Amino acid sequence: MSDGDIPPVADLLARAVSELGGAQRDGQVQMAEAVAQAFATGEHLAVQAGTGTGKSLAYLVPAIARAVAADAPVVVSTATIALQSQLVDRDLPRLVDALADTLPRRPTFALLKGRRNYLCLNKIHSVPDEDPTDAGQEELFAPAASSALGRDVARLNQWASDTETGDRDEVRPGVPERAWSQVSVSARECLGAARCSYAVDCFSEKARAKAAEADIVVTNHALLAIGAIAEATVLPEHDFLVVDEAHELTDRVTSVATGELTPGPLGVAVRRAGRLLTPELTQRLEASVATFASAIHDAQPGRIDYLDDELATY
């Protein structure tokens, strides 16, 4: 398929605006044509669009046109869940319907989040392995808190049998992080498709498979950063990328690329490791954690870009 099979982006935008009941805006047309030109030439483009420009359509229309013409995905990255929801639940469905008759084929789209955002079937069907001695967890075992947590987890288990996506954002009303952590895993905790008994039905794997076939893949800045930094492939191979809410990108990438080490989690690690280690090794670990906690307490607040000799020994 070639660009000659696709109508000019200005015509597609006019069709979309007409079908969606909007009004033609000069800034929106200029932005859409600039985005289309950037896709065609491979040049980077930065756009500052004021309120009322209609920037979502201004980049989605040329993105759809490029994806269909090149038969290659365009990734759209956002900073907020609200914008993700707007694109996937409202803008893209309406836009696909509006443009389907003018394009050689009907465009497709998918939403892709980090694994932690999807319910884990293996964890739901496994026996919980909670440590009531974990730092910061004691309050969970008070009768009232435990009851509230238990109700949330029970509701999530019920939801697990009904949901088609396993996406946390579909849980209404939402649940606290400590409840969600009982039914989800991080990428590091995941067993992997080759080892997991529930790989065929895995919600995260299904989302990735759908994204691999989509023309437009909507994701977030954090997952975009992980894809750039990590060795594992988390996003479909792509040559075209739109970064919306780009003013948030630096902070999100920094957050993903930054490691945080505090005495609390170290204490939890020592208690858990103590079940497997000799008393001598456990005592040495406890002493190191205590010394580290003291050093952190006395240090100046801020980011540590390098470890001095004192910290490196702990």
Side-chain angles (χ1 to χ4, degrees):
M1 196 176 300
S2 66
D3 289 349
D5 300 320
I6 308 294
V9 70
D11 294 347
L12 290 175
L13 182 60
R15 171 67 180 268
V17 170
S18 175
E19 291 290 325
L20 300 181
Q24 186 91 341
R25 285 166 278 190
D26 292 340
Q28 187 181 52
V29 176
Q30 293 173 2
M31 178 177 169
E33 291 181 331
V35 172
Q37 179 67 13
F39 284 148
T41 62
E43 296 177 348
H44 294 168
L45 172 70
V47 178
Q48 182 173 351
T51 302
T53 302
K55 61 185 177 64
S56 294
L57 284 187
Y59 66 70
L60 287 177
V61 169
I64 288 175
R66 173 53 50 180
V68 172
D71 198 25
V74 176
V75 172
V76 176
S77 179
T78 76
T80 62
I81 292 175
L83 181 53
Q84 282 184 4
S85 299
Q86 174 189 317
L87 294 179
V88 174
D89 297 335
R90 191 187 72 178
D91 293 347
L92 281 166
R94 298 169 66 197
L95 192 53
V96 165
D97 287 341
L99 299 181
D101 293 341
T102 65
L103 296 172
R105 62 174 175 80
R106 186 178 180 84
T108 59
F109 61 90
L111 174 64
L112 185 59
K113 304 178 182 179
R115 192 174 295 275
R116 188 73 172 75
N117 294 278
Y118 299 98
L119 179 143
C120 174
L121 293 172
N122 181 68
K123 191 163 187 177
I124 271 210
H125 291 94
S126 299
V127 178
D129 182 21
E130 292 302 312
D131 183 359
T133 65
D134 283 358
Q137 297 294 317
E138 292 87 348
E139 72 277 8
L140 297 183
F141 295 89
S146 179
S147 177
L149 176 59
R151 286 194 297 270
D152 284 333
V153 173
R155 182 158 62 89
L156 288 171
N157 275 271
Q158 178 60 45
W159 172 73
S161 63
D162 300 326
T163 180
E164 294 184 0
T165 67
D167 189 331
R168 179 180 181 176
D169 289 334
E170 289 188 359
V171 180
R172 294 288 185 273
V175 296
E177 176 60 29
R178 63 181 182 180
W180 183 252
S181 68
Q182 307 302 309
V183 299
S184 65
V185 296
S186 66
R188 290 184 178 180
E189 296 170 318
C190 178
L191 295 177
R195 297 171 54 198
C196 182
S197 302
Y198 299 91
V200 174
D201 298 315
C202 175
F203 293 115
S204 178
E205 292 298 324
K206 284 183 177 180
R208 291 172 186 273
K210 183 178 180 180
E213 301 296 327
D215 293 310
I216 306 296
V217 180
V218 179
T219 189
N220 54 67
H221 293 351
L223 199 60
L224 184 69
I226 292 172
I229 296 171
E231 295 181 2
T233 301
V234 295
L235 291 170
E237 290 292 332
H238 59 279
D239 294 323
F240 310 109
L241 169 67
V242 175
V243 178
D244 201 342
E245 300 177 312
H247 59 284
E248 299 276 0
L249 184 61
T250 300
D251 288 343
R252 302 304 169 94
V253 172
T254 300
S255 176
V256 169
T258 300
E260 183 175 319
L261 187 62
T262 61
L266 285 176
V268 173
V270 169
R271 284 192 291 276
R272 290 178 173 174
R275 305 167 184 171
L276 306 173
L277 300 177
T278 64
E280 180 186 357
L281 281 177
T282 301
Q283 289 177 2
R284 289 172 58 188
L285 276 176
E286 290 174 343
S288 294
V289 170
T291 308
F292 175 80
S294 176
I296 289 296
H297 181 270
D298 296 336
Q300 292 294 325
R303 188 175 69 186
I304 298 176
D305 292 315
Y306 67 95
L307 292 178
D308 57 29
D309 292 340
E310 182 182 15
L311 280 177
T313 59
Y314 302 142

